[in-house]
Amino acid sequence: MSERKRIFSGMQPTGALTLGNYLGALKNWAQLQDEYDSIFCVVDLHALTIRREPARLRADSLSLLAQYIACGIDPEKNILFLQSHVSAHAELSWILNCYTYMGELGRMTQFKEKSARHQDNINAGLFTYPVLMAADILLYQTDLVPVGGDQKQHLELARDIAERFNGIYGDVFKVPEPYIPKVGARIMSLQEPTSKMSKSDENENAYITLLDPPDAVIRKFKRAVTDSEASVRFDQENKPGISNLMTIYSSVTGKTYDEIEREFEGKGYGDFKLAVGEAVVEALKPVQGRYNELMSSRDYLTEIARKGAETAEYLANKTLRKVYKKIGLVPRP
Ligand code: AQP
């Protein structure tokens, strides 16, 4: 790889991506890929923190790779791979566990939310999830991590772990910066606009997936929860539903909030919701076309994953070897 700055990011293969995943992160990956050396990972090990049907996980992993490419991630320019194919992720994660404090992990909002939602399976992986995420990022001497706003806390922890480690052993890890979009950092549920849009929401009207057919997209936007004021105006606190729809519309059309307010002045919510739905359908059309093509070329996808893992492994092992040496493990003879 060249001396350009480096990006790393990943998503869990837990079903079709939502508009939140796309607008919060993936769209930026595509925009940044020409400027940075980019490494994009399907974080299948992270997905194990929730019980998954093995066949489903297998299918979702390749499907996620296809969704990355369908959203404009060029496999010729970037490294695309599956996390479980590069064992250094699990290995560094163990080491970093020994440099992370229980108190730090206990403060993570995602752990609190996910353990409340999955009371029957509050496993240790759910707790140490941010450490694996830190390992993912630090292995590649990453400069920038494009993620949605919900991952900010995890990224701050990754920075703390890197600084702590460097403080003891010298400059081993690059300390990464977050890259969080100004518009779209937190796309909210269409049914409960004070919670984030999530692919594991039980109510499928709450989220739009990148693979939803046009009629489902329009129907879900028509049912989106709004308010009784009948005025399209950005006010996150008092009008979270309309503000969320404005964010989505702004992200997919590039229009500013002022322009949107003017466009819908004197019009009802019905017109606005339909316009948002239609804009999203248009944005998803090319993504879905490309996705369907890719899913019928399985060999092409597995070849990308194979090549990606090879390069990623080389880079990751360089860092891992340095870490092992610094902490005093005897090099393998
Ligand atoms: N609602 C959102 N708005 C903006 N960005 C979001 N991201 C997730 N939800 C939103 C960003 O998408 C990336 C991938 O996240 P992940 O695959 O690690 O899963 P997650 O954050 O746990 O997302 P979900 O959709 O809520 O998945 P489930 O329901 O499976 O837990 C990250 O960059 C994240 O910031």
Side-chain angles (χ1 to χ4, degrees), residues 88-154:
H89 289 251
E91 293 172 77
L92 182 62
S93 175
W94 168 254
I95 308 277
L96 297 183
N97 267 319
C98 305
Y99 295 83
T100 309
Y101 297 109
M102 302 286 284
E104 289 176 310
L105 294 173
R107 281 197 290 278
M108 295 293 114
T109 314
Q110 180 176 292
F111 172 69
K112 290 186 202 158
E113 281 173 7
K114 291 211 167 166
S115 47
R117 259 194 4 229
H118 304 276
Q119 298 253 2
D120 54 333
N121 184 22
I122 307 178
N123 58 71
L126 209 53
F127 189 65
T128 58
Y129 180 111
V131 184
L132 179 57
M133 179 168 157
D136 298 339
I137 297 165
L138 300 180
L139 272 175
Y140 298 98
Q141 306 295 344
T142 303
D143 293 284
L144 204 64
V145 187
V147 282
D150 58 315
Q151 291 298 330
K152 189 164 177 261
Q153 199 186 25
H154 286 169

Side-chain angles (χ1 to χ4, degrees), residues 27-145:
K27 191 165 165 251
N28 284 323
W29 300 4
Q31 281 166 359
L32 294 166
Q33 64 181 335
D34 291 322
E35 224 181 301
Y36 291 84
D37 280 337
S38 311
I39 306 173
F40 298 122
C41 184
V42 170
V43 292
D44 50 0
L45 298 176
H46 276 99
L48 301 175
T49 50
I50 306 294
R51 275 296 165 267
R52 312 264 314 158
E53 173 67 33
R56 187 81 247 159
L57 177 60
R58 226 174 346 255
D60 282 349
S61 297
L62 272 195
S63 159
L64 182 54
L65 193 62
Q67 288 175 68
Y68 285 177
I69 302 169
C71 287
I73 304 300
D74 184 344
E76 298 299 324
K77 285 193 203 149
N78 307 295
I79 299 174
L80 299 178
F81 74 105
L82 273 57
Q83 186 185 28
S84 60
H85 291 177
V86 179
S87 59
H89 289 251
E91 293 172 77
L92 182 62
S93 175
W94 168 254
I95 308 277
L96 297 183
N97 267 319
C98 305
Y99 295 83
T100 309
Y101 297 109
M102 302 286 284
E104 289 176 310
L105 294 173
R107 281 197 290 278
M108 295 293 114
T109 314
Q110 180 176 292
F111 172 69
K112 290 186 202 158
E113 281 173 7
K114 291 211 167 166
S115 47
R117 259 194 4 229
H118 304 276
Q119 298 253 2
D120 54 333
N121 184 22
I122 307 178
N123 58 71
L126 209 53
F127 189 65
T128 58
Y129 180 111
V131 184
L132 179 57
M133 179 168 157
D136 298 339
I137 297 165
L138 300 180
L139 272 175
Y140 298 98
Q141 306 295 344
T142 303
D143 293 284
L144 204 64
V145 187

Side-chain angles (χ1 to χ4, degrees), residues 12 14 20-21 114 148 150-151 185 187 196-200:
Q12 298 183 67
T14 46
N21 300 134
K114 291 211 167 166
D150 58 315
Q151 291 298 330
I187 301 295
K196 79 161 192 169
M197 182 181 283
S198 174
K199 48 180 134 61
S200 55

Side-chain angles (χ1 to χ4, degrees), residues 174-195:
K174 171 104 31 106
V175 180
E177 297 288 335
Y179 184 95
I180 296 170
K182 285 201 181 69
V183 177
R186 199 167 157 78
I187 301 295
M188 310 309 274
S189 152
L190 298 184
Q191 289 299 310
E192 217 182 300
T194 46
S195 322

